[in-house]
Each structure stands twice: as structure tokens, then as C-alpha cells.
PDB file of all heavy atoms in Angstrom:
ATOM      1  N   LEU R  30      94.812  76.970  68.868  1.00 76.00           N
ATOM      2  CA  LEU R  30      93.963  77.467  69.938  1.00 76.00           C
ATOM      3  C   LEU R  30      93.412  78.853  69.584  1.00 76.00           C
ATOM      4  O   LEU R  30      92.257  79.168  69.875  1.00 76.00           O
ATOM      5  CB  LEU R  30      94.730  77.510  71.256  1.00 76.00           C
ATOM      6  CG  LEU R  30      93.949  77.924  72.489  1.00 76.00           C
ATOM      7  CD1 LEU R  30      92.826  76.915  72.749  1.00 76.00           C
ATOM      8  CD2 LEU R  30      94.856  78.031  73.688  1.00 76.00           C
ATOM      9  N   PHE R  31      94.252  79.650  68.921  1.00 74.00           N
ATOM     10  CA  PHE R  31      93.828  80.988  68.508  1.00 74.00           C
ATOM     11  C   PHE R  31      92.639  80.897  67.554  1.00 74.00           C
ATOM     12  O   PHE R  31      91.682  81.676  67.662  1.00 74.00           O
ATOM     13  CB  PHE R  31      95.001  81.720  67.849  1.00 74.00           C
ATOM     14  CG  PHE R  31      94.602  83.007  67.194  1.00 74.00           C
ATOM     15  CD1 PHE R  31      94.296  84.127  67.959  1.00 74.00           C
ATOM     16  CD2 PHE R  31      94.507  83.109  65.816  1.00 74.00           C
ATOM     17  CE1 PHE R  31      93.914  85.310  67.368  1.00 74.00           C
ATOM     18  CE2 PHE R  31      94.126  84.286  65.215  1.00 74.00           C
ATOM     19  CZ  PHE R  31      93.835  85.390  65.991  1.00 74.00           C
ATOM     20  N   LEU R  32      92.695  79.976  66.601  1.00 72.00           N
ATOM     21  CA  LEU R  32      91.600  79.831  65.642  1.00 72.00           C
ATOM     22  C   LEU R  32      90.320  79.372  66.319  1.00 72.00           C
ATOM     23  O   LEU R  32      89.226  79.824  65.961  1.00 72.00           O
ATOM     24  CB  LEU R  32      91.991  78.848  64.535  1.00 72.00           C
ATOM     25  CG  LEU R  32      93.091  79.318  63.593  1.00 72.00           C
ATOM     26  CD1 LEU R  32      93.447  78.207  62.615  1.00 72.00           C
ATOM     27  CD2 LEU R  32      92.669  80.570  62.859  1.00 72.00           C
ATOM     28  N   ILE R  33      90.437  78.493  67.302  1.00 79.00           N
ATOM     29  CA  ILE R  33      89.259  78.027  68.035  1.00 79.00           C
ATOM     30  C   ILE R  33      88.633  79.181  68.811  1.00 79.00           C
ATOM     31  O   ILE R  33      87.415  79.364  68.797  1.00 79.00           O
ATOM     32  CB  ILE R  33      89.630  76.852  68.961  1.00 79.00           C
ATOM     33  CG1 ILE R  33      90.010  75.638  68.113  1.00 79.00           C
ATOM     34  CG2 ILE R  33      88.473  76.518  69.899  1.00 79.00           C
ATOM     35  CD1 ILE R  33      90.602  74.494  68.917  1.00 79.00           C
ATOM     36  N   GLU R  34      89.470  79.978  69.452  1.00 76.00           N
ATOM     37  CA  GLU R  34      88.962  81.136  70.198  1.00 76.00           C
ATOM     38  C   GLU R  34      88.329  82.163  69.253  1.00 76.00           C
ATOM     39  O   GLU R  34      87.299  82.749  69.573  1.00 76.00           O
ATOM     40  CB  GLU R  34      90.084  81.782  70.998  1.00 76.00           C
ATOM     41  CG  GLU R  34      90.555  80.951  72.167  1.00 76.00           C
ATOM     42  CD  GLU R  34      91.738  81.573  72.890  1.00 76.00           C
ATOM     43  OE1 GLU R  34      92.170  82.687  72.494  1.00 76.00           O
ATOM     44  OE2 GLU R  34      92.218  80.946  73.836  1.00 76.00           O
ATOM     45  N   LEU R  35      88.963  82.357  68.093  1.00 71.00           N
ATOM     46  CA  LEU R  35      88.405  83.285  67.116  1.00 71.00           C
ATOM     47  C   LEU R  35      87.042  82.793  66.634  1.00 71.00           C
ATOM     48  O   LEU R  35      86.085  83.574  66.549  1.00 71.00           O
ATOM     49  CB  LEU R  35      89.365  83.433  65.930  1.00 71.00           C
ATOM     50  CG  LEU R  35      88.922  84.387  64.827  1.00 71.00           C
ATOM     51  CD1 LEU R  35      88.873  85.815  65.351  1.00 71.00           C
ATOM     52  CD2 LEU R  35      89.859  84.282  63.648  1.00 71.00           C
ATOM     53  N   TRP R  36      86.928  81.496  66.335  1.00 68.00           N
ATOM     54  CA  TRP R  36      85.661  80.932  65.873  1.00 68.00           C
ATOM     55  C   TRP R  36      84.589  81.072  66.954  1.00 68.00           C
ATOM     56  O   TRP R  36      83.445  81.399  66.660  1.00 68.00           O
ATOM     57  CB  TRP R  36      85.830  79.468  65.481  1.00 68.00           C
ATOM     58  CG  TRP R  36      84.520  78.808  65.203  1.00 68.00           C
ATOM     59  CD1 TRP R  36      83.921  77.841  65.929  1.00 68.00           C
ATOM     60  CD2 TRP R  36      83.612  79.112  64.137  1.00 68.00           C
ATOM     61  NE1 TRP R  36      82.706  77.509  65.389  1.00 68.00           N
ATOM     62  CE2 TRP R  36      82.485  78.285  64.274  1.00 68.00           C
ATOM     63  CE3 TRP R  36      83.640  80.005  63.076  1.00 68.00           C
ATOM     64  CZ2 TRP R  36      81.416  78.317  63.407  1.00 68.00           C
ATOM     65  CZ3 TRP R  36      82.559  80.039  62.209  1.00 68.00           C
ATOM     66  CH2 TRP R  36      81.473  79.204  62.379  1.00 68.00           C
ATOM     67  N   GLU R  37      84.962  80.841  68.211  1.00 76.00           N
ATOM     68  CA  GLU R  37      83.987  80.975  69.303  1.00 76.00           C
ATOM     69  C   GLU R  37      83.514  82.409  69.451  1.00 76.00           C
ATOM     70  O   GLU R  37      82.326  82.648  69.697  1.00 76.00           O
ATOM     71  CB  GLU R  37      84.585  80.457  70.613  1.00 76.00           C
ATOM     72  CG  GLU R  37      84.704  78.946  70.665  1.00 76.00           C
ATOM     73  CD  GLU R  37      85.354  78.444  71.957  1.00 76.00           C
ATOM     74  OE1 GLU R  37      85.703  79.275  72.820  1.00 76.00           O
ATOM     75  OE2 GLU R  37      85.507  77.225  72.071  1.00 76.00           O
ATOM     76  N   SER R  38      84.415  83.361  69.302  1.00 72.00           N
ATOM     77  CA  SER R  38      84.000  84.763  69.432  1.00 72.00           C
ATOM     78  C   SER R  38      83.087  85.163  68.268  1.00 72.00           C
ATOM     79  O   SER R  38      82.124  85.900  68.461  1.00 72.00           O
ATOM     80  CB  SER R  38      85.216  85.687  69.522  1.00 72.00           C
ATOM     81  OG  SER R  38      85.954  85.665  68.331  1.00 72.00           O
ATOM     82  N   VAL R  39      83.389  84.668  67.052  1.00 66.00           N
ATOM     83  CA  VAL R  39      82.512  84.950  65.904  1.00 66.00           C
ATOM     84  C   VAL R  39      81.150  84.299  66.120  1.00 66.00           C
ATOM     85  O   VAL R  39      80.106  84.908  65.857  1.00 66.00           O
ATOM     86  CB  VAL R  39      83.171  84.466  64.588  1.00 66.00           C
ATOM     87  CG1 VAL R  39      82.179  84.482  63.439  1.00 66.00           C
ATOM     88  CG2 VAL R  39      84.375  85.325  64.251  1.00 66.00           C
ATOM     89  N   ARG R  40      81.140  83.069  66.608  1.00 71.00           N
ATOM     90  CA  ARG R  40      79.883  82.364  66.854  1.00 71.00           C
ATOM     91  C   ARG R  40      79.058  83.092  67.913  1.00 71.00           C
ATOM     92  O   ARG R  40      77.840  83.247  67.774  1.00 71.00           O
ATOM     93  CB  ARG R  40      80.177  80.929  67.296  1.00 71.00           C
ATOM     94  CG  ARG R  40      78.941  80.056  67.323  1.00 71.00           C
ATOM     95  CD  ARG R  40      79.273  78.661  67.793  1.00 71.00           C
ATOM     96  NE  ARG R  40      79.761  78.763  69.162  1.00 71.00           N
ATOM     97  CZ  ARG R  40      80.612  77.911  69.715  1.00 71.00           C
ATOM     98  NH1 ARG R  40      81.081  76.907  69.035  1.00 71.00           N
ATOM     99  NH2 ARG R  40      81.000  78.065  70.963  1.00 71.00           N
ATOM    100  N   ASP R  41      79.714  83.579  68.983  1.00 70.00           N
ATOM    101  CA  ASP R  41      79.003  84.344  70.019  1.00 70.00           C
ATOM    102  C   ASP R  41      78.447  85.648  69.459  1.00 70.00           C
ATOM    103  O   ASP R  41      77.334  86.062  69.808  1.00 70.00           O
ATOM    104  CB  ASP R  41      79.925  84.631  71.204  1.00 70.00           C
ATOM    105  CG  ASP R  41      80.299  83.388  71.983  1.00 70.00           C
ATOM    106  OD1 ASP R  41      79.617  82.347  71.814  1.00 70.00           O
ATOM    107  OD2 ASP R  41      81.282  83.437  72.745  1.00 70.00           O
ATOM    108  N   PHE R  42      79.234  86.298  68.611  1.00 68.00           N
ATOM    109  CA  PHE R  42      78.785  87.549  67.997  1.00 68.00           C
ATOM    110  C   PHE R  42      77.547  87.309  67.147  1.00 68.00           C
ATOM    111  O   PHE R  42      76.567  88.063  67.223  1.00 68.00           O
ATOM    112  CB  PHE R  42      79.921  88.136  67.148  1.00 68.00           C
ATOM    113  CG  PHE R  42      79.580  89.430  66.474  1.00 68.00           C
ATOM    114  CD1 PHE R  42      79.484  90.608  67.207  1.00 68.00           C
ATOM    115  CD2 PHE R  42      79.371  89.482  65.110  1.00 68.00           C
ATOM    116  CE1 PHE R  42      79.175  91.811  66.591  1.00 68.00           C
ATOM    117  CE2 PHE R  42      79.064  90.676  64.478  1.00 68.00           C
ATOM    118  CZ  PHE R  42      78.970  91.835  65.224  1.00 68.00           C
ATOM    119  N   ILE R  43      77.565  86.249  66.345  1.00 67.00           N
ATOM    120  CA  ILE R  43      76.408  85.932  65.500  1.00 67.00           C
ATOM    121  C   ILE R  43      75.210  85.528  66.352  1.00 67.00           C
ATOM    122  O   ILE R  43      74.074  85.903  66.061  1.00 67.00           O
ATOM    123  CB  ILE R  43      76.773  84.844  64.469  1.00 67.00           C
ATOM    124  CG1 ILE R  43      77.718  85.450  63.432  1.00 67.00           C
ATOM    125  CG2 ILE R  43      75.542  84.272  63.788  1.00 67.00           C
ATOM    126  CD1 ILE R  43      78.267  84.473  62.430  1.00 67.00           C
ATOM    127  N   ALA R  44      75.456  84.783  67.439  1.00 67.00           N
ATOM    128  CA  ALA R  44      74.352  84.398  68.320  1.00 67.00           C
ATOM    129  C   ALA R  44      73.728  85.623  68.968  1.00 67.00           C
ATOM    130  O   ALA R  44      72.503  85.689  69.132  1.00 67.00           O
ATOM    131  CB  ALA R  44      74.852  83.426  69.383  1.00 67.00           C
ATOM    132  N   THR R  45      74.546  86.606  69.301  1.00 69.00           N
ATOM    133  CA  THR R  45      74.030  87.826  69.913  1.00 69.00           C
ATOM    134  C   THR R  45      73.287  88.683  68.894  1.00 69.00           C
ATOM    135  O   THR R  45      72.261  89.275  69.210  1.00 69.00           O
ATOM    136  CB  THR R  45      75.185  88.648  70.525  1.00 69.00           C
ATOM    137  OG1 THR R  45      75.907  87.831  71.429  1.00 69.00           O
ATOM    138  CG2 THR R  45      74.669  89.858  71.268  1.00 69.00           C
ATOM    139  N   GLY R  46      73.795  88.731  67.656  1.00 65.00           N
ATOM    140  CA  GLY R  46      73.199  89.592  66.645  1.00 65.00           C
ATOM    141  C   GLY R  46      72.093  88.965  65.843  1.00 65.00           C
ATOM    142  O   GLY R  46      71.344  89.659  65.175  1.00 65.00           O
ATOM    143  N   GLY R  47      71.990  87.660  65.867  1.00 71.00           N
ATOM    144  CA  GLY R  47      70.905  86.995  65.139  1.00 71.00           C
ATOM    145  C   GLY R  47      71.327  86.489  63.768  1.00 71.00           C
ATOM    146  O   GLY R  47      72.431  86.737  63.289  1.00 71.00           O
ATOM    147  N   ASP R  48      70.427  85.780  63.151  1.00 78.00           N
ATOM    148  CA  ASP R  48      70.707  85.130  61.880  1.00 78.00           C
ATOM    149  C   ASP R  48      70.887  86.101  60.723  1.00 78.00           C
ATOM    150  O   ASP R  48      71.428  85.734  59.676  1.00 78.00           O
ATOM    151  CB  ASP R  48      69.592  84.138  61.534  1.00 78.00           C
ATOM    152  CG  ASP R  48      69.589  82.940  62.471  1.00 78.00           C
ATOM    153  OD1 ASP R  48      70.647  82.650  63.065  1.00 78.00           O
ATOM    154  OD2 ASP R  48      68.525  82.297  62.602  1.00 78.00           O
ATOM    155  N   VAL R  49      70.458  87.328  60.883  1.00 81.00           N
ATOM    156  CA  VAL R  49      70.614  88.324  59.823  1.00 81.00           C
ATOM    157  C   VAL R  49      72.098  88.581  59.551  1.00 81.00           C
ATOM    158  O   VAL R  49      72.482  88.927  58.429  1.00 81.00           O
ATOM    159  CB  VAL R  49      69.870  89.630  60.190  1.00 81.00           C
ATOM    160  CG1 VAL R  49      70.132  90.726  59.195  1.00 81.00           C
ATOM    161  CG2 VAL R  49      68.387  89.355  60.283  1.00 81.00           C
ATOM    162  N   LEU R  50      72.936  88.343  60.545  1.00 84.00           N
ATOM    163  CA  LEU R  50      74.370  88.542  60.345  1.00 84.00           C
ATOM    164  C   LEU R  50      74.933  87.590  59.298  1.00 84.00           C
ATOM    165  O   LEU R  50      75.928  87.904  58.642  1.00 84.00           O
ATOM    166  CB  LEU R  50      75.125  88.382  61.673  1.00 84.00           C
ATOM    167  CG  LEU R  50      74.908  89.512  62.669  1.00 84.00           C
ATOM    168  CD1 LEU R  50      75.671  89.248  63.948  1.00 84.00           C
ATOM    169  CD2 LEU R  50      75.340  90.833  62.080  1.00 84.00           C
ATOM    170  N   TYR R  51      74.325  86.429  59.112  1.00 87.00           N
ATOM    171  CA  TYR R  51      74.761  85.527  58.043  1.00 87.00           C
ATOM    172  C   TYR R  51      74.533  86.173  56.681  1.00 87.00           C
ATOM    173  O   TYR R  51      75.347  86.039  55.767  1.00 87.00           O
ATOM    174  CB  TYR R  51      74.017  84.193  58.108  1.00 87.00           C
ATOM    175  CG  TYR R  51      74.433  83.315  59.261  1.00 87.00           C
ATOM    176  CD1 TYR R  51      73.532  82.993  60.264  1.00 87.00           C
ATOM    177  CD2 TYR R  51      75.718  82.803  59.344  1.00 87.00           C
ATOM    178  CE1 TYR R  51      73.902  82.176  61.321  1.00 87.00           C
ATOM    179  CE2 TYR R  51      76.107  81.994  60.391  1.00 87.00           C
ATOM    180  CZ  TYR R  51      75.188  81.674  61.380  1.00 87.00           C
ATOM    181  OH  TYR R  51      75.568  80.874  62.426  1.00 87.00           O
ATOM    182  N   ILE R  52      73.422  86.875  56.551  1.00 89.00           N
ATOM    183  CA  ILE R  52      73.118  87.543  55.284  1.00 89.00           C
ATOM    184  C   ILE R  52      74.089  88.693  55.052  1.00 89.00           C
ATOM    185  O   ILE R  52      74.578  88.895  53.934  1.00 89.00           O
ATOM    186  CB  ILE R  52      71.653  88.029  55.265  1.00 89.00           C
ATOM    187  CG1 ILE R  52      70.707  86.851  55.463  1.00 89.00           C
ATOM    188  CG2 ILE R  52      71.336  88.753  53.958  1.00 89.00           C
ATOM    189  CD1 ILE R  52      69.273  87.253  55.697  1.00 89.00           C
ATOM    190  N   VAL R  53      74.392  89.453  56.110  1.00 88.00           N
ATOM    191  CA  VAL R  53      75.379  90.536  56.000  1.00 88.00           C
ATOM    192  C   VAL R  53      76.729  89.953  55.592  1.00 88.00           C
ATOM    193  O   VAL R  53      77.412  90.490  54.703  1.00 88.00           O
ATOM    194  CB  VAL R  53      75.498  91.328  57.324  1.00 88.00           C
ATOM    195  CG1 VAL R  53      76.653  92.310  57.266  1.00 88.00           C
ATOM    196  CG2 VAL R  53      74.210  92.055  57.640  1.00 88.00           C
ATOM    197  N   ALA R  54      77.122  88.851  56.223  1.00 87.00           N
ATOM    198  CA  ALA R  54      78.408  88.224  55.901  1.00 87.00           C
ATOM    199  C   ALA R  54      78.434  87.733  54.457  1.00 87.00           C
ATOM    200  O   ALA R  54      79.447  87.879  53.761  1.00 87.00           O
ATOM    201  CB  ALA R  54      78.687  87.073  56.864  1.00 87.00           C
ATOM    202  N   ALA R  55      77.340  87.163  53.986  1.00 90.00           N
ATOM    203  CA  ALA R  55      77.288  86.682  52.606  1.00 90.00           C
ATOM    204  C   ALA R  55      77.399  87.854  51.625  1.00 90.00           C
ATOM    205  O   ALA R  55      78.142  87.776  50.631  1.00 90.00           O
ATOM    206  CB  ALA R  55      76.000  85.909  52.367  1.00 90.00           C
TER     207      ALA R  55
END
């Protein structure tokens, strides 16, 4: 459950910050 919540928070963060965050992460 912790991993699912962590993934959801990361997904929300990326949705809020935009697709450029994928490039920063890479």
C-alpha cells in the first residue's frame, strides 16, 4: 500500500509540474 501511495504522489507531482519533470528525472 505504501508503494501505491508513493507512486500516486509522484504521479500527482508530475501532473502538477508537467512533462518537463520526466526530462529532469531522466
Side-chain angles (χ1 to χ4, degrees):
L30 184 62
F31 171 74
L32 292 176
I33 293 171
E34 290 176 2
L35 181 66
W36 171 248
E37 287 178 1
S38 65
V39 168
R40 191 181 63 208
D41 292 344
F42 180 73
I43 289 175
T45 305
D48 291 337
V49 174
L50 289 179
Y51 288 116
I52 301 170
V53 172

